[in-house]
Amino acid sequence: MPFIKQLNKDFFIKNNHIELSPEYIKDPKFSVKKITGTTFGSVLGLNKYKTPLKTWAIMVGIYKETMDETLAKTGTIIEPKIREYAQEKLNLKFKVYNPREIKYDVFKDDKVYGGIPDGEPVDEFGNISYSDDKPMLEVKTSSCDSLVYKQTEENQLRLVKDENGFPIVKVPGGKKAEWFDADNKFIIPLEYKYQLGLYLYLRKVKKGVFAVGFLQREDYKNMEDFDPNKREIHLVNFSIKDPSQLEKAIEYGREWYKKYVKSEPCISPKISSKEDIDWLKKELKIEIC
C-alpha cells in the first residue's frame, strides 16, 4: 500500500536507482512536492527514520507514508496548547495558518522550498511583524518515556497501547533523556535546527524560538485534558549564527532537487544503504543486489 504506484509500469529499478517512467511523468495528475522544513533534514541525511531515497519517493508521488493516528492528534490537539503557552510566556501573538487555505505552503515564490511555520509574530493589527527581533515559533512534542512501536505489514510504525488505551513504555524517561547532554544542558536536534533555519532563511529573518513540550503517558489518551502549565515545557531561543553553513545546506538542497526531482529522466538518489535495500525488498518483494 505505501507504494501507491506500480513497479515496472510507473517506475523501474535500474542501475541501483529508481527511475520514473515517461508515461507516469506525462500523466496530467503528476506533480512533485517541494522540500519543506519537515523534509529538509531528510534530504540532508539527518533523519534516522527516513532516508533521502524514501523522501524522494514521497516527493515524486510513488510512495505514501502515513503517521500514527495518536501521534497525528498530538499535532492538532496538544501543539496548539503549547503555542498558547508560548504566547503567554513570551508576551507575543503568533499567526497560525490554515494549511488547506494556503495549499500547505506560505513560500510560494520559491520553486524548491516550501512549508508552513508553526507561528509567525504579528503586531497589534494582526500583521506579520518581525520588528524588535520577534521570533518565529517552532513547536515540538516529545514523550518523556521511550514508547513501544510496531511495524505494520505495510512497513508503517504504529504506537502500541495496552488494554486501557495507554501507550506501553519501553524505557521510562528514555526519550526525554535524548534532549539533554552529559552536562544536563538542553539540546535541539540538528535536524530541527535546519527546519527552523530554513524557514527563517526564507523569511529573511534570523531569530526563532522552539517550544518543546514533554508528554506523560496519560497525555496520549486524554489529549483534551493536556495542561501545559502542569507539564515540562522548554522555550529555547534559536538564531542563525553561521549563515554560510545554512546557505551551503540550502544550496545543496536546491542542487539535489534539480538533480533528482526536476531532472529528465527523473532518477532517484542511488540505492546504496542497507536501510534502503531492506526497505525496497520488503515493500516491493524483489531482490536488490
Side-chain angles (χ1 to χ4, degrees):
M1 169 59 188
F3 267 101
I4 55 177
K5 299 300 176 181
Q6 294 184 33
L7 176 64
N8 296 326
K9 177 185 177 185
D10 301 305
F11 65 95
F12 305 89
I13 307 292
K14 292 183 178 180
N15 301 319
N16 286 330
H17 294 270
I18 302 175
E19 181 175 339
L20 302 185
S21 71
E23 291 76 18
Y24 174 60
I25 294 174
K26 291 176 183 177
D27 190 313
K29 295 181 180 179
F30 173 73
S31 64
V32 297
K33 293 180 172 66
K34 297 201 291 185
I35 300 173
T36 67
T38 304
T39 56
F40 189 34
S42 302
V43 169
L44 297 175
L46 299 175
N47 188 306
K48 60 182 178 181
Y49 301 109
K50 193 179 301 178
T51 66
L53 179 68
K54 182 182 284 189
T55 302
W56 175 88
I58 294 170
M59 291 174 67
V60 300
I62 63 173
Y63 187 82
K64 184 175 182 179
E65 195 169 54
T66 58
M67 182 180 288
D68 177 89
E69 183 179 357
T70 300
L71 298 184
K73 285 183 178 179
T74 65
T76 58
I77 299 174
I78 292 181
E79 286 191 11
K81 294 174 181 283
I82 295 176
R83 180 167 44 241
E84 291 174 5
Y85 173 91
Q87 288 187 143
E88 181 181 343
K89 295 298 181 181
L90 298 171
N91 193 27
L92 290 172
K93 291 290 185 181
F94 291 103
K95 179 177 177 61
V96 181
Y97 295 94
N98 182 318
R100 291 185 179 179
E101 287 182 359
I102 62 170
K103 298 183 179 179
Y104 299 89
D105 188 10
V106 301
F107 305 106
K108 298 186 184 300
D109 291 339
D110 197 292
K111 302 300 182 184
V112 174
Y113 291 105
I116 308 173
D118 286 337
E120 297 203 76
V122 296
D123 60 22
E124 63 269 29
F125 304 107
N127 301 313
I128 294 175
S129 172
Y130 285 95
S131 63
D132 301 322
D133 286 332
K134 293 186 182 73
M136 179 184 288
L137 178 68
E138 181 63 36
V139 180
K140 296 296 180 187
T141 58
S142 172
S143 58
C144 290
D145 308 312
S146 294
L147 304 176
V148 175
Y149 290 83
K150 67 178 180 181
Q151 231 174 13
T152 67
E153 292 182 358
E154 296 179 339
N155 205 33
Q156 307 289 288
L157 285 177
R158 293 293 179 261
L159 191 64
V160 179
K161 300 179 182 179
D162 63 18
E163 63 276 9
N164 297 313
F166 292 99
I168 296 176
V169 173
K170 181 164 59 175
V171 181
K175 194 66 179 177
K176 180 180 172 183
E178 296 177 5
W179 290 84
F180 296 84
D181 64 15
D183 298 320
N184 205 35
K185 180 181 177 182
F186 196 86
I187 53 175
I188 298 293
L190 185 58
E191 179 184 6
Y192 295 160
K193 290 181 178 180
Y194 274 112
Q195 177 180 4
L196 182 51
L198 173 65
Y199 289 155
L200 293 175
Y201 173 88
L202 294 173
R203 274 291 186 238
K204 297 181 172 60
V205 296
K206 292 186 177 181
K207 291 193 175 181
V209 61
F210 286 95
V212 183
F214 289 99
L215 278 57
Q216 300 286 352
R217 183 170 174 258
E218 58 267 27
D219 295 329
Y220 290 91
K221 182 178 180 181
N222 305 309
M223 294 189 191
E224 296 290 353
D225 297 331
F226 179 83
D227 183 352
N229 292 292
K230 296 180 180 180
R231 291 292 181 260
E232 187 174 341
I233 311 291
H234 289 258
L235 299 177
V236 184
N237 291 323
F238 174 79
S239 61
I240 300 176
K241 296 179 179 179
D242 186 356
S244 63
Q245 182 179 357
L246 177 61
E247 289 168 3
K248 183 178 180 180
I250 288 173
E251 183 57 31
Y252 173 86
R254 291 193 189 281
E255 291 299 319
W256 184 94
Y257 195 82
K258 178 181 178 181
K259 182 177 181 179
Y260 297 120
V261 179
K262 285 294 187 178
S263 60
E264 291 185 15
C266 190
I267 299 176
S268 76
K270 188 176 181 180
I271 304 168
S272 55
S273 71
K274 182 180 184 302
E275 183 178 357
D276 281 331
I277 292 171
D278 291 344
W279 167 60
L280 291 173
K281 282 182 177 180
K282 183 173 183 179
E283 294 277 2
L284 298 174
K285 305 293 189 290
I286 58 173
E287 287 298 320
I288 299 177
C289 300

